[in-house]
Amino acid sequence: MANPLARAQYMLAAHNPQQLPPDGGFEVAFAGRSNAGKSSALNAICQQNALARVSKTPGRTQQLVFFDIPPTTDRFLVDLPGYGYAKVPKDLQAHWQAFIDKYFATREALKGLVVVMDIRHPLKDYDRQMLGYAVSRGLPAHAILTKADKLGRGAQGNALLAVRKLMQAEYGDAVSVQLFSGESKQGVDEARAVIGGWLQL
């Protein structure tokens, strides 16, 4: 089956709300801490090697990066800035906080959120904050546990069950979760199906 996301291409990067494209159509946002493997996951899902730049310096995404999906003119993937051990000045963090707050609160085109988490370090504060944004807006969220190939089969299953249990306790049925590996391509089709559904592709 052809993958419509394979046509995704860089469109623009927004550093403030004025630079966002018009608020129409369908957008799916990707969030993840700096070292969670978000760029690798985006690239695997879109079957591209360098759509999202995989940085050697974590936390390099300093804007909301929009990718459009030809031939449609109103379907987008949005790469959100990731923090973890990114060394970001406090005033820039405050700017981002306000921008992301507003984006989640008011963006009509936003149809779902993918939160990328390292399977060995899931549900950190940043992840919970992002999931909280989606749930409070009534948006569906999907967590992908990346780097699953770093664990054996049994450990993968245990990690998935543990995260699922925590999510159920905190968010009810609002968040789905899956195993994923950009390396082995495990779970790529599943993630693609969720995103394609939200984008109505």
Side-chain angles (χ1 to χ4, degrees):
M1 203 165 81
N3 172 19
L5 299 174
R7 293 192 287 263
Q9 60 187 16
Y10 172 84
M11 179 186 166
L12 61 84
H15 188 69
N16 57 54
Q18 293 71 40
Q19 296 169 334
L20 292 171
D23 189 2
F26 299 77
E27 289 169 13
V28 170
F30 279 73
R33 288 170 67 248
S34 335
N35 51 340
K38 174 166 55 101
S39 298
S40 302
L42 254 168
N43 288 337
I45 288 163
C46 295
Q47 286 176 291
Q48 298 190 36
N49 293 328
L51 179 71
R53 285 198 282 279
V54 181
S55 174
K56 293 282 179 272
T57 316
R60 284 288 291 281
T61 313
Q62 302 280 296
Q63 294 117 344
L64 264 66
V65 180
F66 280 73
F67 303 99
D68 62 355
I69 304 164
T72 69
T73 54
D74 62 350
R75 302 289 194 278
F76 307 98
L77 300 175
V78 186
D79 191 3
L80 303 179
Y83 292 120
Y85 47 71
K87 304 285 186 285
V88 181
K90 285 280 179 277
D91 57 344
L92 185 59
Q93 279 196 12
H95 165 80
W96 273 116
Q97 194 65 57
F99 188 4
I100 298 278
D101 279 353
K102 185 169 184 202
Y103 175 76
F104 272 98
T106 62
R107 191 77 177 168
E108 292 293 323
L110 186 59
K111 304 301 179 194
L113 172 70
V114 176
V115 178
V116 179
M117 301 187 258
D118 185 327
I119 191 167
R120 299 160 302 177
H121 315 287
L123 288 171
K124 298 290 188 195
D125 289 347
Y126 172 87
D127 306 323
R128 291 173 191 276
Q129 181 188 0
M130 289 294 151
L131 290 167
Y133 275 137
V135 171
S136 64
R137 243 296 293 270
L139 288 170
H142 187 64
I144 61 178
L145 302 178
T146 58
K147 309 185 186 183
D149 56 287
K150 305 271 193 238
L151 300 181
R153 265 268 165 68
Q156 286 182 18
N158 291 340
L160 180 64
L161 281 175
V163 171
R164 204 166 260 161
K165 202 168 166 185
L166 280 167
M167 298 265 216
Q168 184 70 35
E170 288 184 44
Y171 310 110
D173 296 328
V175 184
S176 48
V177 58
Q178 68 160 102
L179 298 169
F180 189 94
S181 166
E183 279 293 305
S184 69
K185 304 296 180 267
Q186 175 184 359
V188 169
D189 288 343
E190 186 182 343
R192 211 175 270 156
V194 170
I195 294 157
W198 288 343
L199 291 172
Q200 296 187 12
L201 286 170

